[in-house]
Amino acid sequence: MAVVCCALAQPGYATPPIANPAKFLDQAESLRLQDHSQFVRMLEQIQPEADALSESDQWHLRYLDAWEAIYEGGSAKSEPQLHQIIDRSGDPALIAKASSLLLKILSTNRRYEEAFALANHLASILPEIKDPSIRFTLLTYLSQTVDLADQTDLAVQYARMAEDAIPPGETACRPLMLQAAALNNGKRLKSASPELRKAIDVCTNARQPVVTNAMWLILIDLYLDENQSGKAMALLDQISPAIQTAHYYDHMLSFQVRRAQAYLQLGNDDEAKKSALSALAMSQPGDLSEQLMDAYQVLYQIEKKQGHTAAALAYYEHYAALDKSHVDDVRARALAYDMAEQQLLVQKMQADSLSKQNRILKLRDDLTSKAVETSRLYIALLLVVLVSVVFWLFRLKRSQLRFKQLSCLDGLTSISNHQHFLGEAERLLQSLVKRQGTACLIAIDLDHFKQINDAHGHALGDIVLKRTVVICRQHLRSTDLFGRLGGEEFCILLIDCQRERGMAIAERIRVVIEATLVDAEGASISFSASLGLACTDASGYDLQRLSKDADTALYSAKRTGRNRLVASGEQVDQAEAQQTGKRASML
């Protein structure tokens, strides 16, 4: 071997230099998911020439190295590289792709506050992105991020937008995969669902083995949920070579766990235990995935069934730790999205049920070994009663707070109603007076909303109102006040916001509303909004005066053509002057 290595190191056996590095890197990037092993070989081939590459090619190579590290499960190494690319490369396309990859890292590492902030930023600049490839990439990662927050409808919407904006060289594989994944996460998918079958067929024909494997694993999950363990096992055997060839950590771990679950359903405890232990062996330090939790649950059930109390207890402790981490993760996401509250309650009840079973097993073991410790049984039972009382008191208190909150919210859109908005706005403006802060009031009115109700029905009108609220919320902070004044009229109070920033936020809202489509009887309809803005630096802190100036600006926007933003003061006069000039020129 030493002789062979020395011979290969001679100049006659050296790899020829790459003639066109930029084209070489583009080709390597296109093979990431189609032929991952070839992608890795191409990276290894170009590494010796890294120092001789141009600056733009060096940044491109760093991006591909970061992507490969994430693929292999090493996101900690990739994050600093992605920040460098975003801050220093100066390449808009590369910055957008690096930002999208960073969004995946933040979401995977459960840094939801940072992930949602970055997602909101990327969504806000989405209307400005004209490059089809960048827009496609951003939409796919946005769909993945909101899916983590259990926002199924929004995740499907982003995936469909990506499907409608497929750039040259791409296929519908990833958008269809994201739609199927979001529907599965929202418990809207069955093993026979056409969305899943279509995604599998398209990704198979597109030769995207990694994405296809993800769809097969979802189908296996559905088979297991439907107690079709035979089909699940047959499919696991079928995709085993593809999983090993792709060598994607998440898929290999999921493959072993699903095999363990399938064996357990089939009654083959020995093989189920082997597969579960294989999954634990390949897991990485600090991995808190649900897949490992499922593996520990399989081992717990096997040891419990075989009467191995101590082993069952040990596996259950691992399961409980992972389950607690998972519950905490759901709670963190629920801070941004109310949809996760019910899911958190269900998981908490499941954890309590398994915890009670574990306490009973432990008490039985203690009673057989130490009769003198029978008092622990009474203590444990007392703790169970106490926890139950505290739990129900907590639920009662939360229900009271929920009812109080609902009295302040609009029944359709779940934002502040007219009365609550005015009261809170008065209070916030009074606090701003004391510290000489600045605020902006935005009045929003949907254009021709009555025509939408008359032409398509009030049900679609309600959908338009809800969609408007979702769009506005994506551009607001937690400190801002958002309310529905009635009908199609909304109002936003931006706290500690200068006029220029308020104008920018209002304009982004208007642009996103204009670009939004709503499905109506097989067709897509668009809608727009007129906005008026007033600020405390010109209108003062009196809510009545501030509202009047914002309404005046809004009416000016309506009179001058709709679907526009007009600010109070000079901008209102200018808008009206422009409209008067247009009428004069027409005459």
Side-chain angles (χ1 to χ4, degrees), residues 310-343:
L313 175 61
Y315 284 129
Y316 177 77
E317 288 175 349
H318 289 291
Y319 169 83
L322 289 174
D323 183 63
K324 182 180 181 301
S325 299
H326 178 64
V327 172
D328 290 342
D329 180 59
V330 175
R331 184 181 292 109
R333 284 182 281 168
L335 292 176
Y337 293 92
D338 294 334
M339 293 289 292
E341 279 192 11
Q342 187 62 33
Q343 180 183 0

Side-chain angles (χ1 to χ4, degrees), residues 42-97:
M42 294 179 74
L43 286 186
E44 293 173 349
Q45 181 180 349
I46 199 172
Q47 288 294 347
E49 303 181 26
D51 294 337
L53 298 177
S54 66
E55 184 177 2
S56 61
D57 290 339
Q58 287 181 358
W59 286 118
H60 194 179
L61 179 58
R62 289 187 184 182
Y63 167 75
L64 295 179
D65 286 338
W67 188 96
E68 173 59 19
I70 295 172
Y71 185 91
E72 296 293 341
S75 59
K77 175 184 176 182
S78 303
E79 186 172 347
Q81 291 180 307
L82 294 175
H83 280 295
Q84 289 181 357
I85 295 171
I86 295 170
D87 297 336
R88 296 167 52 190
S89 70
D91 184 344
L94 204 57
I95 290 172
K97 290 192 289 188

Side-chain angles (χ1 to χ4, degrees), residues 321-577:
L322 289 174
D323 183 63
K324 182 180 181 301
S325 299
H326 178 64
V327 172
D328 290 342
D329 180 59
V330 175
R331 184 181 292 109
R333 284 182 281 168
L335 292 176
Y337 293 92
D338 294 334
M339 293 289 292
E341 279 192 11
Q342 187 62 33
Q343 180 183 0
L344 177 64
L345 179 60
V346 171
Q347 292 173 345
K348 182 71 168 59
M349 293 175 65
Q350 292 175 346
D352 288 344
S353 176
L354 288 175
S355 179
K356 291 177 182 178
Q357 295 177 19
N358 180 69
R359 280 195 292 270
I360 292 172
L361 286 173
K362 188 176 185 303
L363 287 171
R364 287 178 178 175
D365 183 68
D366 291 341
L367 286 171
T368 58
S369 61
K370 296 181 180 180
V372 288
E373 296 181 1
T374 54
S375 58
R376 296 182 182 180
L377 173 62
Y378 301 103
I379 296 174
L381 292 176
L382 180 60
L383 287 176
V384 170
V385 173
L386 181 60
V387 169
S388 300
V389 171
V390 172
F391 175 72
W392 286 111
L393 287 176
F394 170 76
R395 289 194 62 187
L396 179 62
K397 183 63 177 178
R398 188 175 63 178
S399 298
Q400 292 174 346
L401 294 175
R402 182 65 174 171
F403 288 138
K404 182 179 178 181
Q405 182 185 24
L406 289 175
S407 66
C408 301
L409 300 180
D410 175 64
L412 176 64
T413 60
S414 297
I415 61 176
S416 295
N417 57 28
H418 193 162
Q419 178 102 16
H420 184 255
F421 179 85
L422 294 180
E424 283 297 298
E426 286 279 8
R427 183 183 64 80
L428 292 173
L429 289 173
Q430 290 301 320
S431 66
L432 284 177
V433 173
K434 298 177 182 178
R435 53 188 176 88
Q436 293 298 309
T438 305
C440 294
L441 185 68
I442 304 174
I444 305 174
D445 188 272
L446 299 182
D447 299 328
H448 304 299
F449 185 73
K450 185 176 183 302
Q451 295 180 9
I452 295 177
N453 277 335
D454 293 343
H456 304 284
H458 290 278
L460 183 65
D462 291 345
I463 294 175
V464 170
L465 293 174
K466 292 179 181 178
R467 190 68 55 82
T468 302
V469 169
V470 171
I471 292 171
C472 292
R473 275 180 166 170
Q474 292 172 350
H475 297 83
L476 300 181
R477 303 162 298 177
S478 60
T479 56
D480 298 328
L481 184 61
F482 184 25
R484 180 186 179 196
L485 301 187
E488 70 274 20
E489 298 180 10
F490 300 89
C491 210
I492 300 172
L493 182 62
L494 303 175
I495 304 300
D496 292 323
C497 179
Q498 301 292 332
R499 175 183 290 265
E500 292 76 11
R501 186 178 178 187
M503 290 285 290
I505 293 174
E507 179 62 16
R508 285 200 298 268
I509 291 174
R510 185 197 66 79
V511 170
V512 176
I513 289 175
E514 181 184 12
T516 299
L517 298 178
V518 176
D519 293 335
E521 299 178 354
S524 296
I525 67 167
S526 60
F527 59 99
S528 62
S530 300
L531 296 85
L533 180 141
C535 294
T536 55
D537 56 2
S539 304
Y541 296 93
D542 181 67
L543 179 60
Q544 186 174 3
R545 170 68 185 279
L546 196 63
S547 298
K548 180 179 178 181
D549 290 348
D551 286 340
T552 302
L554 174 62
Y555 295 146
S556 178
K558 289 286 188 180
R559 289 194 299 271
T560 54
R562 293 185 172 85
N563 190 20
R564 63 185 59 201
L565 166 67
V566 174
S568 65
E570 295 180 0
Q571 294 185 2
V572 174
D573 298 338
Q574 182 181 1
E576 292 178 345

Side-chain angles (χ1 to χ4, degrees), residues 21-35:
K23 184 177 180 181
F24 183 87
L25 290 170
D26 289 337
Q27 182 182 3
E29 185 174 359
S30 68
L31 294 174
R32 288 176 301 175
L33 298 177
Q34 293 182 355
D35 191 345

